[in-house]
Amino acid sequence: MKIVLAAVNAKYIHSNLAVYTLSAYAKAMGAQCEIAEYTINQQKDEILKSLFRKQPDVLCISCYIWNISYVEALVSDLSKVLPRTELWLGGPEVSYRAVSMLEKHPCLRGIMRGEGEKTFAELALAYQRPSGAENSRPGSQSGEMESSRPGSLADEAESSRPGDTPDGVEISGANDMERRLCKIAGITWRDGDGVIHENPWRPVMDLSEIPFPYEDLENFSNRILYYESSRGCPFSCSYCLSSIDKKLRFRSLDLVRKELQFFLDHQVPQVKFVDRTFNCRKDHAMAIWTYLAEHDNQKTNFHFEIAADLITDEELELFRSMRPGLIQLEIGVQSTNPDTIREIHRKMDFSKVSSVVCEIRKGRNIHQHLDLIAGLPFEDYDSFRRSFADVYRLKPQQLQLGFLKVLSGSYMAEHTADYQCFYQEEEPYEVLSTRWLPYGDVLRLKVVEEMVEVYYNSGQFPHLLGLAEQLYDNMFDFFSELGIYYEENGYDGLAHTRIRRYEILLDFLAEKKQVERRKSEQLALMDLYARENLKSRPPFAPDLAEQKDRIRQFYQREEQEHRYLKNYDGYQWKQLMRMTHLEFFTVDEDGRVCGTVLLFDYSQRDPLTGNALITAVREEDTMP
């Protein structure tokens, strides 16, 4: 009996934690399965061919908002080329509409709902159990299985588990397999006559029972690893499915420390915690952050989603001691409109959030990513504009402007009529309009989102944005006007080079804000060389020919004295000139008119922005 667990990820760099935890738990319980990972960027025919060649008896696919249509089309074709394969789906995108999914797709045998480790293990054991072995323990050919293992399915199969023996699903004339399915909690399934049965939901499990899913990192090269130290969420945000699972559970800290050390020992580039609110229990969060600070390998980055207003002075002090780049924090603000926050059942003290974000920013060692959601109740265009201004003033490294996704099973989905909320029929079920936000305003916000992504989140325009901040009271208006400028000139929807993005912004500032062209071009040059040592000069850069002797003089002196390039001992001056860059400006980094010489050192980069170290050089050090 061959069982395959398949995942269709959004990008190759992602990995699917769910299929690995399901596989690890099933293996510990005596069931065997194979994992197959793909991406939505692959052709369906390619995945179809791969799965066909595996010839699974049972195929289970994990479903999310980013892949559900892809998976639905895939299973339809799979049922034609693998007619004897039992097809199962699971994951948040099907858990709360299992019956309708089975009705829509007659080829499906069933849906695994909610938390899946025990459900999948029992399902796998049910399929792998030999016919006629109803009285033997699951997962054992001989009827024997280790029963001393804590929480093992062998023990549970012998007892009456709460919710695991559904009432009212006994089927007259059922075969062996159907009788087994009747006893598995957390599934909705179809019997041989096509009748759909809904077994009860499964009680939540002890998170420490799940084995560590990363035994071998060979398949995870150049990919992000995901890790889970808690499940559930203490909050009840109306747009989020996490609010449905109110039972918070935490993995044993002894296990967490051991598993984090595995990542550190293997120098994994990045680990993303998927805990919904990582710091909802201070002692748990502090223990993990302290361990990472004390065992830092100088390479691995750890990502956490937190509630900033829960951060304490003790945690802030710990943050200050961390290596730049050790951790990064994602903070969901969503809105600063008090009516909106109240209506979505969210608890947030924005004044405390602001204070914490500013304190963390002072340390210049932690990347902060702040989120806003457009389309929430009571948030109109002007209200969102104010929310944007509130968050922009905090100067996070990333400011994500997202749009409400109306998820099946959420409180928001049940109250769309109250909010006059219309959303896309297919995933990502994004909001089209609400009582407060007509579709025309949604489109206006889409323009702002695009400009924020290109000009702010890219981190490539800090000096030019600093100039814009002097011209606008609310930077929302800058991004809005710039987006309109793109549309007016036919620039929207086109793929632009990085240099072209600079040129468009320079044109906008000159035409719409009457900014002196030479001043903005100088700031653009600072931004460009901060990012990389350009092989060719941009069109708006001044000719360096007349500075040639000064540049040579500077590097020849540096070869001998190392006043500015202290980490380049042993290099000749021509090598130094290739590895760094010296530029002459008529404005300083704040845009003030003056004579400035800046040295860009690419061996020393800001761990948060990736920009080169910029040092002001005394003019006399460039003179003969």
Side-chain angles (χ1 to χ4, degrees), residues 90 199 211 262 288 325 351 425 559 598:
N199 295 5
F262 176 87
I288 292 173
S351 63
E425 288 295 321
E559 178 183 348
L598 297 180

Side-chain angles (χ1 to χ4, degrees), residues 549-603:
D549 290 340
R550 294 178 64 184
I551 293 172
R552 183 178 64 252
Q553 173 67 36
F554 170 80
Y555 282 109
Q556 287 177 340
R557 184 175 294 162
E558 277 301 293
E559 178 183 348
Q560 303 298 322
E561 301 178 4
H562 298 294
R563 295 183 185 179
Y564 298 94
L565 299 172
K566 302 183 185 302
N567 299 320
Y568 287 84
D569 191 34
Y571 290 96
Q572 297 178 352
W573 70 271
K574 288 185 178 180
Q575 292 174 306
L576 296 177
M577 192 163 60
R578 287 193 296 269
M579 298 166 69
T580 64
H581 179 74
L582 195 70
E583 186 72 38
F584 298 81
F585 296 94
T586 56
V587 299
D588 63 14
E589 292 185 71
D590 296 321
R592 293 172 300 206
V593 177
C594 64
T596 301
V597 183
L598 297 180
L599 176 65
F600 298 84
D601 184 353
Y602 302 99
S603 70

Side-chain angles (χ1 to χ4, degrees), residues 122-363:
E122 289 186 15
L123 187 68
L125 289 169
Y127 274 110
Q128 293 177 347
R129 201 156 139 204
S131 179
E134 292 300 308
N135 295 320
S136 66
R137 294 181 179 181
S140 171
Q141 297 291 333
S142 64
E144 292 298 324
M145 182 178 179
E146 182 183 350
S147 61
S148 60
R149 187 188 299 119
S152 73
L153 294 179
D155 295 328
E156 294 180 359
E158 298 299 313
S159 63
S160 177
R161 292 162 290 174
D164 280 10
T165 306
D167 296 327
V169 294
E170 293 185 6
I171 306 171
S172 176
N175 59 32
D176 285 352
M177 188 63 204
E178 289 175 342
R179 284 195 292 271
R180 296 171 196 168
L181 293 178
C182 286
K183 298 177 181 179
I184 301 175
I187 64 172
T188 301
W189 58 283
R190 191 193 318 273
D191 67 23
D193 296 324
V195 179
I196 295 173
H197 305 274
E198 272 202 290
N199 295 5
W201 286 84
R202 178 178 296 278
V204 297
M205 67 183 297
D206 180 350
L207 202 57
S208 297
E209 292 180 21
I210 302 173
F212 185 58
Y214 299 114
E215 294 180 351
D216 183 2
L217 293 181
E218 182 178 347
N219 296 326
F220 296 97
S221 178
N222 300 316
R223 300 174 72 191
I224 298 171
L225 295 185
Y226 296 89
Y227 183 75
E228 184 176 40
S229 75
S230 68
R231 276 185 190 169
C233 183
F235 303 115
S236 302
C237 301
S238 63
Y239 52 82
C240 182
L241 290 182
S242 296
S243 62
I244 295 174
D245 181 359
K246 300 301 296 181
K247 189 171 182 181
L248 263 172
R249 291 148 286 154
F250 296 87
R251 193 164 176 82
S252 160
L253 281 171
D254 287 339
L255 282 176
V256 172
R257 293 186 186 98
K258 178 182 177 182
E259 291 157 2
L260 291 180
Q261 192 58 51
F262 176 87
F263 296 134
L264 293 165
D265 290 344
H266 288 81
Q267 297 193 340
V268 173
Q270 185 176 54
V271 177
K272 283 196 171 185
F273 277 66
V274 298
D275 305 44
R276 298 314 303 159
T277 306
F278 174 76
N279 63 322
C280 61
R281 196 171 86 182
K282 180 188 172 183
D283 60 339
H284 181 82
M286 275 294 291
I288 292 173
W289 282 331
T290 300
Y291 188 87
L292 294 179
E294 293 175 349
H295 296 79
D296 182 17
N297 63 5
Q298 304 298 311
K299 180 175 181 179
T300 305
N301 166 264
F302 294 88
H303 176 102
F304 303 91
E305 293 185 32
I306 69 163
D309 49 345
L310 298 182
I311 294 293
T312 65
D313 290 341
E314 183 182 8
E315 287 163 314
L316 287 172
E317 184 177 354
L318 176 60
F319 289 164
R320 294 186 194 102
S321 70
M322 290 180 171
R323 165 182 62 87
L326 172 59
I327 70 170
Q328 62 188 51
L329 303 175
E330 183 171 350
I331 300 165
V333 177
Q334 322 311 12
S335 172
T336 63
N337 182 334
D339 293 332
T340 298
I341 295 298
R342 184 165 48 252
E343 183 64 23
I344 63 175
H345 309 152
R346 185 170 177 78
K347 295 180 179 179
M348 181 191 66
D349 181 347
F350 184 67
S351 63
K352 179 66 185 300
V353 170
S354 300
S355 175
V356 167
V357 170
C358 290
E359 281 299 313
I360 294 173
R361 190 180 72 227
K362 289 178 184 177

Side-chain angles (χ1 to χ4, degrees), residues 347-445:
K347 295 180 179 179
M348 181 191 66
D349 181 347
F350 184 67
S351 63
K352 179 66 185 300
V353 170
S354 300
S355 175
V356 167
V357 170
C358 290
E359 281 299 313
I360 294 173
R361 190 180 72 227
K362 289 178 184 177
R364 298 187 57 80
N365 64 333
I366 294 176
H367 179 285
Q368 296 187 92
H369 175 137
L370 271 58
D371 298 329
L372 286 171
I373 297 179
L376 295 173
F378 293 98
E379 187 96 272
D380 60 15
Y381 186 86
D382 290 336
S383 169
F384 189 85
R385 175 179 175 272
R386 291 190 293 272
S387 290
F388 182 95
D390 291 337
V391 174
Y392 187 90
R393 278 192 288 268
L394 302 180
K395 291 298 184 70
Q397 279 70 41
Q398 294 271 308
L399 199 174
Q400 181 175 328
L401 197 170
F403 290 80
L404 174 67
K405 312 296 190 295
V406 183
L407 305 178
S408 177
S410 68
Y411 177 92
M412 187 69 68
E414 296 172 358
H415 292 80
T416 52
D418 299 337
Y419 303 137
Q420 297 174 26
C421 178
F422 294 92
Y423 58 95
Q424 297 168 343
E425 288 295 321
E426 295 184 351
E427 78 283 356
Y429 316 114
E430 194 169 274
V431 65
L432 295 172
S433 66
T434 70
R435 187 199 309 174
W436 304 270
L437 194 71
Y439 182 58
D441 285 348
V442 170
L443 294 180
R444 294 167 69 193
L445 292 177

